[in-house]
Amino acid sequence: MSSSRIRRARIRYARDQMRVNFWFVPLLMSFGAIILAWVLLRVDARIPYDITLISRLVLMGGVAETRMFLINMGTTIILTAGVVFTLITLPLSTMAAQYGSRLIRLFMGDRTTQFVLGMFVSTVVYLWAVAESLPLADEGWRIPQLTLTAGVLLLLASFASLILLIQHLSTMIQAPTIVAKAGAELQDAIRSLVPDERRNGSGGGPPVAETGSHPVRAMKAGYIQYIDYDHLLAVANRKDAVIEVRRKTGDFVGPGVVVAHVRRSGQVDAALEGEVRHAIHIGDRRSPAQDVVYAVTLLTETALRAMSENDSYTPRICLDYIGEGLAQFLRQGEPASHHYDRHGRLRLVLEQVTFDELVSDAFEMLRHAGRDSAPVLHHMLDVIAAIGTETTSPESCMALRRQVSLIREEARASSLIEEDRRSICRNADLLEAALPCAG
């Protein structure tokens, strides 16, 4: 049962790791280039030679001249690739200095940049594959015109992609683009929390009989990058056990720290403990693939760095995407913490992120850093008002109301002029009264 289930959390994490690197797309394009060279060489062998002789791209010469032509084109591409690598490394250093090193992943995951790298790498691979396929002697040999024409077109396409890269980088390093990408990661992380109807039961059934609780401890220090809930639920069903995960995705754990408890009527052997531990993946850095708090932190860090440079525009963009993410979280509803099998028996207990936790992480530091910026505080109230339209529970409404009250107190303790303080406090009072939980 466990082996047949789709490891969605594991696949999601692996997909995220492949997306934010510079090798995956160029590697795929290189394999495509080898296949293209193989196909075109065989097509060339079937085209009558009289047809290719009337082509304007006919290259006269023997095997040595053709191989040299291919090598020269490859050398040109390699030399130009140095310019491409320079163009890529400069934005990396700029982003690290201006937005923080954690946001470099947004640039590394940019498909346009990966495509341009892939164009240069795959063109070199294509030319190399064609050159290696040429025979050693001229006897009975004919120039593969179609194959060479494709090589020339790939060379031109590589130079065209260089222009595309220059144009793209000029917009990629702008704050609105960076924030939009971070906001998309937040929304994607929240969508990953949508409850699975197969896993959530209404409860009511008796829990599995237990005689004790067996702790599962972490083997190394690091951050919990993802938890494979499907695998844990499958293991709990197969072993007739209750698994209680004591840590959330994004938590830091050290060696020997208890990350889960397993309760069952029988003995918890080393194999069962290993399966549970294997489902809780620990690494050296956090990932927004399943960590919503970290996705919020990326936007918060961008806003904080912008405010340190007296930029009030970028923080407001960050707040817009944070507000949309929190509103989406409310629309979906908080993920369930208790999961049952089809018979209504409790199988899996999780530590889930709450709306109050997300609101605190989103606004606490921004509120302190923006206390002397009237536009930021005003916009923070506007964002909270937009989130408030999605509240359906008193708890979520009270979390927003608490932030409104704290923003008002920050404004009163700030160095803003009296007119700005009165305006912020007046808007906070109106918003507090308009929230559904008011009164």
Side-chain angles (χ1 to χ4, degrees):
M1 179 178 178
S2 173
S3 61
S4 63
R5 295 181 69 91
I6 299 176
R7 305 290 188 265
R8 288 177 297 177
R10 196 178 305 275
I11 292 175
R12 179 180 174 82
Y13 175 77
R15 185 178 60 191
D16 179 72
Q17 294 303 301
M18 289 187 293
R19 183 177 63 86
V20 291
N21 63 69
F22 285 146
W23 62 263
F24 183 68
V25 171
L27 182 62
L28 287 181
M29 295 179 69
S30 297
F31 281 124
I34 295 175
I35 295 173
L36 178 63
W38 182 82
V39 171
L40 291 181
L41 284 170
R42 275 147 187 79
V43 172
D44 258 320
R46 295 177 178 271
I47 298 177
Y49 197 53
D50 295 339
I51 296 178
T52 59
L53 284 176
I54 62 174
S55 171
R56 285 181 174 270
L57 293 178
V58 167
L59 301 173
M60 303 306 295
V63 175
E65 289 82 358
T66 303
R67 183 178 288 109
M68 184 59 63
F69 174 75
L70 293 168
I71 292 174
N72 288 337
M73 284 199 297
T75 303
T76 303
I77 289 293
I78 292 175
L79 293 176
T80 311
V83 178
V84 176
F85 291 132
T86 302
L87 289 174
I88 292 175
T89 55
L90 286 177
L92 287 176
S93 59
T94 301
M95 288 184 65
Q98 187 170 354
Y99 303 109
S101 59
R102 287 187 289 189
L103 285 179
I104 290 180
R105 60 172 278 115
L106 300 178
F107 181 79
M108 295 181 66
D110 181 64
R111 289 301 186 199
T112 301
T113 305
Q114 295 174 358
F115 169 76
V116 174
L117 279 175
M119 277 300 304
F120 279 85
V121 174
S122 61
T123 300
V124 172
V125 170
Y126 176 87
L127 296 173
W128 170 82
V130 174
E132 287 295 315
S133 66
L134 298 180
L136 298 177
D138 291 341
E139 184 177 354
W141 177 79
R142 45 184 268 185
I143 297 178
Q145 293 295 333
L146 184 61
T147 305
L148 295 181
T149 300
V152 174
L153 294 177
L154 284 175
L155 178 69
L156 296 176
S158 298
F159 287 122
S161 68
L162 178 59
I163 300 174
L164 172 65
L165 178 64
I166 296 173
Q167 169 65 28
H168 180 69
L169 291 179
S170 65
T171 58
M172 178 65 194
I173 61 176
Q174 294 180 18
T177 305
I178 297 295
V179 175
K181 287 182 176 293
E185 286 204 330
L186 171 60
Q187 294 170 7
D188 192 39
I190 292 174
R191 279 193 294 269
S192 72
L193 300 179
V194 174
D196 184 350
E197 297 299 331
R198 296 180 296 103
R199 297 186 303 185
N200 299 332
S202 58
V208 177
E210 57 183 83
T211 58
S213 178
H214 182 82
V216 177
R217 303 180 184 274
M219 299 298 291
K220 63 178 182 179
Y223 293 95
I224 298 179
Q225 295 179 327
Y226 68 87
I227 301 174
D228 194 340
Y229 304 132
D230 285 330
H231 180 64
L232 288 176
L233 187 58
V235 170
N237 285 328
R238 189 175 71 250
K239 297 293 186 178
D240 193 26
V242 176
I243 300 175
E244 182 181 0
V245 180
R246 295 293 183 89
R247 298 284 180 165
K248 295 193 293 289
T249 305
D251 286 352
F252 181 84
V253 296
V257 172
V258 176
V259 294
H261 279 274
V262 180
R263 303 192 299 270
R264 67 190 300 255
S265 56
Q267 182 182 5
V268 178
D269 55 16
L272 175 55
E273 181 179 347
E275 284 196 80
V276 174
R277 185 182 293 112
H278 182 66
I280 304 174
H281 189 270
I282 299 174
D284 58 355
R285 61 184 182 275
R286 298 173 71 176
S287 168
Q290 199 188 58
D291 189 352
V292 179
V293 175
Y294 183 65
V296 171
T297 302
L298 293 178
L299 284 166
T300 303
E301 181 180 353
T302 304
L304 291 174
R305 285 179 172 269
M307 282 189 284
S308 67
E309 299 177 358
N310 296 322
D311 176 10
S312 63
Y313 176 69
T314 302
R316 284 180 283 175
I317 302 176
C318 295
L319 283 169
D320 287 334
Y321 282 99
I322 290 174
E324 174 56 30
L326 295 179
Q328 179 183 346
F329 186 86
L330 287 175
R331 288 191 293 268
Q332 290 182 181
E334 293 189 4
S337 59
H338 289 66
H339 300 267
Y340 303 83
D341 62 16
R342 60 182 180 178
H343 302 295
R345 292 176 296 189
L346 179 64
R347 291 301 186 188
L348 184 62
V349 181
L350 303 172
E351 287 284 340
Q352 296 284 19
V353 63
T354 63
F355 178 74
D356 186 45
E357 181 182 358
L358 289 179
V359 169
S360 297
D361 287 333
F363 292 110
E364 292 290 348
M365 290 189 293
L366 290 181
R367 193 183 65 247
H368 290 304
R371 63 185 300 179
D372 294 326
S373 175
V376 172
L377 294 181
H378 274 299
H379 200 69
M380 201 175 296
L381 292 173
D382 293 338
V383 169
I384 292 176
I387 300 172
T389 61
E390 303 291 343
T391 55
T392 57
S393 68
E395 292 80 9
S396 59
C397 187
M398 290 304 298
L400 294 177
R401 193 173 185 182
R402 175 177 172 270
Q403 292 299 321
V404 173
S405 176
L406 291 173
I407 290 173
R408 182 172 49 230
E409 295 303 317
E410 290 283 1
R412 288 172 177 171
S414 68
S415 60
L416 294 171
I417 62 175
E418 187 62 28
E419 179 67 24
D420 285 337
R421 281 201 297 267
R422 283 200 301 266
S423 176
I424 294 170
C425 292
R426 181 171 60 252
N427 289 345
D429 293 339
L430 293 174
L431 175 55
E432 209 169 37
L435 287 172
C437 55

